[in-house]
Amino acid sequence: HLSGRRSWKVERAHSTMMNADMDAVEAENQVELEEKTRLINQVLELQHTLEDLSARVDAVKEENLKLKSENQVLGQYIENLMSASSVFQTTDTKSKRK
C-alpha cells in the first residue's frame, strides 16, 4: 500500500507541476498577446498620425503655391503702378546741375 500511495502522490505532484507550467505558459502567452495588441494599436495610431501630417503638408503646399501666385500678381501690379507714376521715374541728376 505504501508504494501505491507514493505513486499517487508523485503523480499528483507531477500533475500539479504540469498544471503550474501550463498556467505559466498561458500567462506568458496572455502577456505576449497583450503586448502584440498594444503594439498593433500603437502602429495604427502612428499610421493615422502620419496620414494627418501628410494631408496637412499637402494643404500647406497648396496654400504656399496659391500665395506665391498672388505675390507675383501683386508684385507685377506694384511694378506697373511704379512705372506709370512720375514719382518713381529715374532722373538724371547730372543734367539738372548744368
Side-chain angles (χ1 to χ4, degrees):
H1 292 61
L2 204 55
S3 65
R5 283 187 184 176
R6 277 192 206 152
S7 171
W8 179 79
K9 285 184 179 179
V10 168
E11 284 181 26
R12 186 168 180 206
H14 183 67
S15 174
T16 302
M17 287 189 328
M18 284 184 63
N19 285 341
D21 287 345
M22 288 174 62
D23 288 346
V25 167
E26 190 175 313
E28 188 177 320
N29 287 344
Q30 183 64 30
V31 168
E32 285 179 12
L33 181 62
E34 288 172 1
E35 180 68 9
K36 284 179 183 178
T37 302
R38 188 186 68 77
L39 288 173
I40 288 170
N41 288 335
Q42 190 175 11
V43 166
L44 290 173
E45 184 179 337
L46 289 171
Q47 282 179 338
H48 293 309
T49 301
L50 180 59
E51 288 171 0
D52 292 344
L53 288 172
S54 293
R56 178 71 180 130
V57 166
D58 290 343
V60 168
K61 282 182 179 179
E62 192 174 314
E63 181 69 16
N64 187 37
L65 286 173
K66 182 181 169 189
L67 290 172
K68 276 184 178 181
S69 176
E70 289 177 4
N71 281 345
Q72 285 178 336
V73 169
L74 287 172
Q76 189 62 47
Y77 177 72
I78 290 170
E79 216 176 283
N80 291 342
L81 283 177
M82 288 172 63
S83 65
S85 171
S86 59
V87 175
F88 296 104
Q89 296 301 317
T90 58
T91 56
D92 189 357
T93 53
K94 290 180 184 176
S95 62
K96 287 187 176 179
R97 286 183 190 164
K98 291 182 181 178

